[in-house]
Amino acid sequence: MDLQGVLGVLEHLAPLSLAESWDNVGLLVEPSKPRPVKTILLTNDLTTTVMDEAVAMNCDLIVSYHPPLFRPFKRLLQKDWKQRLTIRAIEGGIAIFSPHTSWDSVEGGVNDWLVGGMGSGQVSVLSQAHSCGPQRHRLEFSSINKEELNSLLEQLRHIEGSETFQCSTTRNESGGQQVNLTCNSSALTAAVQILVSNTHASKSLNITQVQKPPLLGCGQGRLSVLDKPVSVSTAVQKMKTHLGLPHLRLALGDQQTLDSMVKTVAVCAGSGASVIQGVKADLYITGEMSHHEVLDAASQGTSVILSEHSNSERGFLTVFRDRLTARLGDAVTVSVSQRDRDPLQVI
């Protein structure tokens, strides 16, 4: 399969539109000479040892969950490790793709996988994702009669992008026309300028921002009301098994013990404090939180489990490998890196 075909599958499994606005997702390195994609390597982080692994297996595409290219480069030199990796990818004709927060947000993605380690429950999204597309605004105004309205609508039709306008009219109590017009942000200024030039429309004009529809099941973080509550001690063991780790860090909430029962769990993969902080739950699960963020949670009676940043994400790679393999078939080999690991370890 060619690169564009593989990218289409990747983006179908997790649309890039779900990524956070600050993120750098999608195709980050594109080879100048097209070649069929026969081997894909999945990794949480693209490090020197993972690149060595990719080169040794003659990899065509690296899917790195964390984007190895995030901040802009002004030059490509050998003195910086990320620049060296970029040069090696270019010289080796290896494409690099990063999904990052699109995998976090998508239904069935990283955060659903993470909360699934606690067992079945009623799961909801903490920070709801909304459909993509231009921001729209609703303009409500009235006209004295149909003739005045037709004159205004004719002027509005000359605005660039007016083909996307949605307009409805009803007769009001005074015999005039009440108008409801929806337009994109790009056309808002021009539309308002026309309406304020009309005395009656200007006096009755009301502008509101249209809320984009939510994408059910998608967004950052998850809250689970467990079908079968467990003790804090059991929760720790469940997460050790789920993440494949011998050790986790635990902070007990005020007045809590290892035998305290956990009924509600808030999770966010990676560095999740900004998403889960303030959420009412018996237990927080994430990769990392600052000292003071942990203290804040504990003071509210919420216990905290920390696994280190990438350990809260890496296990999803095998789940995604199976999904990708099912879509690409036997013609493409999809492997999970054996060299990828969190840089921190307990010794």
Side-chain angles (χ1 to χ4, degrees):
M1 183 178 291
D2 64 18
L3 178 59
Q4 291 305 315
V6 174
L7 293 178
V9 173
L10 287 168
E11 295 182 28
H12 177 77
L13 290 172
L16 296 179
S17 59
L18 291 174
E20 296 296 290
S21 59
W22 50 262
D23 208 355
N24 189 38
V25 296
L27 185 63
L28 304 183
V29 174
E30 181 179 14
S32 59
K33 295 181 180 179
R35 70 184 193 188
V37 176
K38 298 179 181 179
T39 303
I40 299 174
L41 182 65
L42 306 181
T43 184
N44 206 81
D45 293 289
L46 181 53
T47 60
T48 300
T49 55
V50 173
M51 179 60 81
D52 291 340
E53 182 183 14
V55 171
M57 64 191 297
N58 197 28
C59 178
D60 304 300
L61 170 64
I62 297 172
V63 176
S64 176
Y65 168 77
H66 286 136
L69 305 180
F70 196 81
R71 295 181 177 85
F73 290 157
K74 291 186 176 180
R75 54 181 60 89
L76 289 175
L77 302 176
Q78 293 295 322
K79 65 180 181 180
D80 177 87
W81 70 276
K82 288 191 175 182
Q83 294 177 40
R84 289 197 297 271
L85 291 177
T86 304
I87 293 169
R88 289 185 67 184
I90 293 170
E91 291 176 341
I94 302 173
I96 300 176
F97 176 91
S98 178
H100 202 200
T101 52
S102 65
W103 276 12
D104 294 345
S105 178
V106 72
E107 185 175 13
V110 175
N111 282 309
D112 282 311
W113 166 81
L114 182 60
V115 78
M118 287 297 297
S120 62
Q122 184 178 343
V123 178
S124 57
V125 175
L126 291 178
S127 179
Q128 180 66 56
H130 293 82
S131 64
C132 59
Q135 182 62 59
R136 294 177 67 79
H137 297 267
R138 180 178 296 109
L139 286 72
E140 298 172 290
F141 60 95
S142 59
S143 63
I144 297 175
N145 51 47
K146 268 199 168 184
E147 289 72 20
E148 183 181 73
L149 173 60
N150 289 336
S151 175
L152 287 171
L153 293 180
E154 182 61 30
Q155 294 177 67
L156 291 167
R157 289 191 189 98
H158 288 87
I159 296 175
E160 184 177 355
S162 62
E163 64 276 4
T164 65
F165 288 5
Q166 295 177 341
C167 185
S168 63
T169 61
T170 56
R171 189 177 178 85
N172 58 32
E173 295 178 355
S174 61
Q177 299 290 316
Q178 185 66 32
V179 186
N180 188 320
L181 173 72
T182 304
C183 69
N184 292 343
S185 291
S186 58
L188 178 62
T189 300
V192 170
Q193 287 175 340
I194 290 172
L195 295 175
V196 296
S197 66
N198 178 280
T199 302
H200 196 76
S202 176
K203 290 181 178 179
S204 59
L205 180 61
N206 182 50
I207 305 171
T208 56
Q209 190 177 74
V210 178
Q211 180 68 48
K212 295 180 181 181
L215 296 173
L216 299 180
C218 297
Q220 300 301 319
R222 298 293 186 269
L223 176 68
S224 180
V225 180
L226 299 178
D227 292 335
K228 296 181 179 179
V230 298
S231 67
V232 172
S233 178
T234 299
V236 171
Q237 293 304 317
K238 278 179 169 286
M239 293 313 298
K240 282 183 179 180
T241 301
H242 188 60
L243 301 177
L245 298 173
H247 305 286
L248 293 170
R249 290 193 288 165
L250 170 68
L252 285 170
D254 286 359
Q255 307 302 313
Q256 304 299 304
T257 70
L258 289 175
D259 294 324
S260 297
M261 297 304 292
V262 174
K263 299 178 181 178
T264 53
V265 185
V267 310
C268 184
S271 182
S274 63
V275 175
I276 62 179
Q277 198 167 30
V279 174
K280 186 173 178 57
D282 299 320
L283 177 66
Y284 288 170
I285 299 175
T286 186
E288 60 178 335
M289 292 172 64
S290 74
H291 173 76
H292 293 287
E293 288 165 344
V294 172
L295 288 178
D296 287 342
S299 71
Q300 299 300 314
T302 299
S303 298
V304 178
I305 290 177
L306 303 179
S307 64
E308 306 306 345
H309 189 112
S310 67
N311 289 334
S312 66
E313 306 156 337
R314 184 169 290 104
F316 181 73
L317 293 175
T318 57
V319 176
F320 194 81
R321 176 197 60 196
D322 295 343
R323 293 179 187 175
L324 192 55
T325 299
R327 294 295 303 270
L328 297 178
D330 297 334
V332 181
T333 300
V334 184
S335 301
V336 175
S337 172
Q338 299 301 304
R339 306 292 296 277
D340 175 45
R341 55 182 50 85
D342 197 277
L344 291 170
Q345 58 180 316
V346 179
I347 61 174

